[in-house]
Every structure is written in C-alpha cells, then in structure tokens.
Amino acid sequence: MHHLKRKAAAFVLGAIAAGTLTGCVGLDAVYLAGTVTSQNINIVARAESDVPTRDGVKVYPVAMKQQTSYFTTPCHYQGLLVEFARDWEEVQAATGTLLPPEPDKPIGYALILTSEQCPEKPARPLFSLDEKYFHFLTRSRGDYVIREGQRMDAVDFSSYAPDQRPKWLPQVLRTIHDEAPRNRAAQQFENEMEARPEWVRKLAS
C-alpha cells in the first residue's frame, strides 16, 4: 500500500511538472504536498552562507536563518533556489506595451522554503515562496545565486489570492522535476513532497 501511495504521489508531481495539471488544480496539489498547516505570515530570513553559481545548474539548496532581535534565538529554514525565466506575457507598466514571453532568457531565482526548525520545537514543513532577480545592470547570473546575509521574505502559498500567485511557479516545478535525475537537491525536494502525510492521504482518498 505504501508503495502504491508513493507511486500516486510521484504521478501527480510528474503531471504538475509536465503541465497536465494546471491552474488551481495543479497549484492546489502543490500546496497540499508542501504544507501541513497554513502560517499566513511572511518569513523574513537571511541566507546562512554564500551559494555560488555553477555551470549548467538550475536548482540549488539554500539554508536561511530568521531575521530576529539579538536576544532571540532564530529559526532556521531549508529550501531551494531555482532559476526561472519569464514564460508568460506581461504588460510593461510605463508604456502599456505587451511583452511576449521570453522562456529562454533567465531573469532570476525562485525561493521555495520547505522546512522550519525553531528552538525547542519540532521541525515544521512549509511551502513558502519568494523570488530574487538578477542585478538590474548586468541582467546576468553573476558569481552567486545568493550571498551570505542577503534577505528574502517568503510568503506561505495559501496566503496568495489566486490571481496573485507567482507566475513562475509551474515553470519552477517543471525545472525541479526535470533536474531531479541529476540534481540531489531537486531529487530531495520531490522525495519530501511525496512523503508528506497530507499529500498521500489526499491522493489515497
């Protein structure tokens, strides 16, 4: 039975990545995979170390630490940073010009935080999101995905109104799925998503 449940989870993750589960259905499945309880707040955190860019790599593990007061022991977070391009149409705010998709032109990294560890508390699964763009002058990857101490504000997926969800999310999930056979961080993400109880319970019902 456990084997069948894991096969079902893998099937749905693959379907999301392939684009056969789209819109609310696909994103709700991702939410179920990534979240046990909704926090509905921002996570303000800073990278714990530099993450250098590497040729041919699109998915990077990242460790972050809660930004808090000097006298408070911070929570720690684990997740991924995933390269993305603008594969959707966008209206240029200044001119009203409709910009066509540029799926082959990376513009930044999506952050997905998947777990939280706070002092004297059990680890808690998350599915919280943010993004960072390439430097506005160079418009290129540069030498680092993120630098130690750089801040990001991650928002729980359930906090987004349907029309405000990140447009890059389906693409990023496809990238993770495609990279998993050769990228340990991507494979671990898929394994974590498949193993979460709420995910398999929903699939098995």
Side-chain angles (χ1 to χ4, degrees):
M1 179 64 69
H2 177 71
H3 175 67
L4 291 176
K5 288 179 179 179
R6 286 187 63 82
K7 283 186 69 176
F11 170 79
V12 174
L13 281 171
I16 294 167
T20 54
L21 289 180
T22 58
C24 293
V25 175
L27 293 180
D28 287 347
V30 174
Y31 169 68
L32 288 170
T35 308
V36 171
T37 56
S38 171
Q39 58 180 357
N40 293 317
I41 58 172
N42 284 11
I43 293 173
V44 181
R46 295 184 180 274
E48 296 206 59
S49 62
D50 290 342
V51 178
T53 54
R54 304 198 305 274
D55 289 343
V57 177
K58 295 182 179 181
V59 181
Y60 297 84
V62 65
M64 306 198 78
K65 181 171 64 177
Q66 181 185 21
Q67 178 176 291
T68 186
S69 69
Y70 181 78
F71 300 102
T72 302
T73 304
C75 299
H76 294 266
Y77 305 97
Q78 300 294 325
L80 297 178
L81 283 161
V82 184
E83 184 180 278
F84 72 93
R86 185 174 56 79
D87 62 353
W88 59 90
E89 291 184 342
E90 189 167 85
V91 177
Q92 193 174 48
T95 65
T97 302
L98 182 65
L99 302 176
E102 295 182 300
D104 299 322
K105 184 179 179 181
I107 60 173
Y109 295 98
L111 173 70
I112 304 178
L113 293 180
T114 58
S115 68
E116 174 188 73
Q117 181 67 68
C118 294
E120 300 180 2
K121 293 182 180 180
R124 186 166 70 99
L126 304 172
F127 200 83
S128 296
L129 311 173
D130 193 17
E131 72 270 341
K132 65 184 298 289
Y133 292 91
F134 296 159
H135 193 280
F136 73 97
L137 290 178
T138 63
R139 304 289 184 182
S140 64
R141 296 178 181 88
D143 295 327
Y144 294 93
V145 179
I146 195 169
R147 300 303 305 265
E148 180 180 357
Q150 185 171 352
R151 170 178 165 167
M152 297 192 75
D153 298 357
V155 179
D156 185 79
F157 177 78
S158 65
S159 299
Y160 288 97
D163 62 343
Q164 296 298 317
R165 292 167 180 165
K167 294 179 180 179
W168 44 253
L169 184 55
Q171 174 196 162
V172 162
L173 293 172
R174 288 194 301 271
T175 297
I176 294 170
H177 184 74
D178 291 345
E179 294 293 312
R182 55 188 173 274
N183 184 299
R184 183 176 178 182
Q187 181 62 66
Q188 183 176 351
F189 174 88
E190 290 210 325
N191 291 342
E192 288 178 5
M193 295 302 103
E194 292 170 14
R196 292 184 175 175
E198 282 67 14
W199 169 257
V200 294
R201 186 179 305 124
K202 188 72 175 180
L203 291 172
S205 63

